[in-house]
Amino acid sequence: MHVLVTGGAGFIGSHLAEHLLEQGHHVSVLDNFATGRRSNIAALGGEVELIEGDIQSYERVNKAVAGCEVVFHLAALPSVPRSVQDPLTSNATNVIGTLNVLLAARDHGVRRVVYASSSSVYGSSSGITPKQENKPTIPISPYATAKLAGEGYARSFHGVYGLETVALRYFNVFGPRQDPTSQYAAVVPNFIGALIAGQPPVIFGDGEQSRDFTYVANIVDANVLAMDAPGVAGRVYNVACGERVTLNRLVGELRELLSSDVEPAYAAPRPGDIKHSLADLSRARTELGYEPSVLLRDGLERTIEYFHAELPHVGRLIGAS
Ligand SMILES: NC(=O)c1ccc[n+]([C@@H]2O[C@H](COP(=O)([O-])OP(=O)(O)OC[C@H]3O[C@@H](n4cnc5c(N)ncnc54)[C@H](O)[C@@H]3O)[C@@H](O)[C@H]2O)c1
């Protein structure tokens, strides 16, 4: 099957593209390398058709989508703090770009679009109780608002044009190839990078905020299931591990795995960050047949292994002596 992965040079997109190649699909990637890397494409170990361009350009998206049966739309500027700093750019990529992808998919008669949404759309809803897809969404950051807009467009394109769309709400993804050096680095690579460099990982808040950390292979599995599952068009699904982990516990696990005695440092909470995030996976289990296969500890071990093997210069990059 000919498939397109937008954002395929990024962290999650490159894992998905790699898996689709292994399954024997013809894989195209559309990326402008805003946050993605050429080395991620080089690491795929297969023939990928690379279309370099910006999803804000309908012309580029149209070229990339032509001839594809399924589109996995992952291209985005994926950071909450980045969206707080620059909401216009975040909106242009995450909303206009998504609209372009859906329009091109409609125009080319694509069978299905699988959209990368985010647990951040739940925002401040429902405290520590597991988030269910039918519960209200109250996004509290520009990023989350843009991701929810993308979901709305995806659902409406199914209703109005009959385009099959499925939105997957990823919960805090981590794994190999995630960038520890960006100023917007996600918490797992950030903490691993700091501990390897012998520096204190910085926790914003008291560390009792919690997340449902999800190893990247689980996200890949959910995307592959969403490509063909029957009766799921126009629907939205949580994709996670289903375990609540505080940042204090995460640091504890990482210190143990890395044999580090470096203590974390605490800083003021960041605006736009939610307090708790835990997924209810019932719908994904029932309708997609999804089950997380790699749990937290195993995922952290694999990620640390990657950092040790691939990024020996990580300490230098983040400023250790
Ligand atoms: N990492 C997470 O924890 C997480 C959680 C929820 C949802 N998501 C979603 O998953 C998707 C992938 O995230 P990721 O963590 O792999 O991030 P990433 O930054 O590694 O990947 C995003 C990719 O999109 C590309 N891109 C950005 N702007 C573009 C543009 N205008 N045109 C073309 N390509 C562009 C980047 O170059 C990059 O390769 C995103 O849609 C993100 O919102 C990620």
Side-chain angles (χ1 to χ4, degrees):
M1 195 189 301
H2 186 180
V3 300
L4 171 67
V5 181
T6 73
F11 157 51
I12 303 171
S14 64
H15 284 278
L16 177 59
E18 187 171 27
H19 185 83
L20 292 164
L21 280 171
E22 281 165 12
Q23 286 193 323
H25 297 296
H26 171 184
V27 180
S28 296
V29 162
L30 171 63
D31 206 296
N32 71 347
F33 297 97
T35 55
R37 295 175 175 182
R38 286 179 200 282
S39 57
N40 287 346
I41 298 283
L44 293 182
E47 279 294 309
V48 170
E49 190 181 330
L50 174 64
I51 298 108
E52 200 164 335
D54 195 317
I55 53 168
Q56 290 176 63
S57 154
Y58 178 79
E59 182 273 320
R60 294 312 285 164
V61 176
N62 187 54
K63 178 177 159 47
V65 167
C68 292
E69 185 175 335
V70 173
V71 174
F72 297 93
H73 176 43
L74 284 82
L77 291 176
S79 149
V80 168
R82 181 177 201 139
S83 78
V84 172
Q85 230 170 50
D86 183 3
L88 258 184
T89 306
S90 174
N91 183 79
T93 297
N94 299 348
V95 180
I96 309 281
T98 296
L99 193 48
N100 277 332
V101 170
L102 291 167
L103 280 168
R106 177 202 67 179
D107 296 346
H108 284 285
V110 163
R111 178 170 62 77
R112 187 170 286 183
V113 177
V114 183
Y115 168 65
S117 186
S118 163
S119 59
S120 63
V121 301
Y122 290 111
S124 50
S125 70
S126 75
I128 60 168
T129 52
K131 316 282 187 200
Q132 290 172 321
E133 294 89 338
N134 58 358
K135 291 284 156 58
T137 45
I138 313 170
I140 58 168
S141 68
Y143 167 72
T145 303
K147 281 278 143 184
L148 187 59
E151 277 190 16
Y153 275 120
R155 191 176 49 249
S156 69
F157 267 57
H158 176 58
V160 173
Y161 305 116
L163 173 67
E164 290 194 5
T165 59
V166 184
L168 302 179
R169 289 178 179 164
Y170 307 168
F171 281 64
N172 290 77
V173 191
F174 70 96
R177 301 193 196 128
Q178 201 170 16
D179 186 358
T181 61
S182 152
Q183 60 169 317
Y184 303 118
V187 68
V188 172
N190 187 307
F191 286 3
I192 294 175
L195 289 171
I196 288 177
Q199 295 178 347
V202 178
I203 295 178
F204 296 99
D206 63 4
E208 285 308 296
Q209 67 269 46
S210 59
R211 297 288 181 267
D212 194 336
F213 292 105
T214 309
Y215 187 68
V216 65
N218 301 315
I219 302 290
V220 169
D221 287 348
N223 272 277
V224 170
L225 290 165
M227 169 163 72
D228 289 318
V232 300
R235 304 275 287 163
V236 53
Y237 296 93
N238 291 339
V239 183
C241 241
E243 189 187 4
R244 191 170 93 83
V245 178
T246 65
L247 293 200
N248 286 329
R249 181 180 146 203
L250 176 70
V251 169
E253 299 261 1
L254 290 172
R255 288 175 69 209
E256 205 179 297
L257 287 167
L258 288 160
S259 306
S260 166
D261 54 10
V262 177
E263 297 282 349
Y266 292 87
R270 289 187 306 192
D273 276 352
I274 58 177
K275 184 76 180 159
H276 298 292
S277 178
L278 170 66
D280 182 317
L281 295 175
S282 316
R283 185 188 285 187
R285 284 192 167 106
T286 311
E287 298 182 17
L288 295 177
Y290 168 78
E291 194 60 48
S293 59
V294 182
L295 303 185
L296 180 73
R297 184 85 176 185
D298 187 7
L300 291 178
E301 277 172 1
R302 294 187 198 195
T303 307
I304 287 170
E305 212 171 285
Y306 164 83
F307 274 77
H308 278 312
E310 300 292 326
L311 294 176
H313 59 303
V314 115
R316 186 168 45 77
L317 283 175
I318 68 167
S321 55

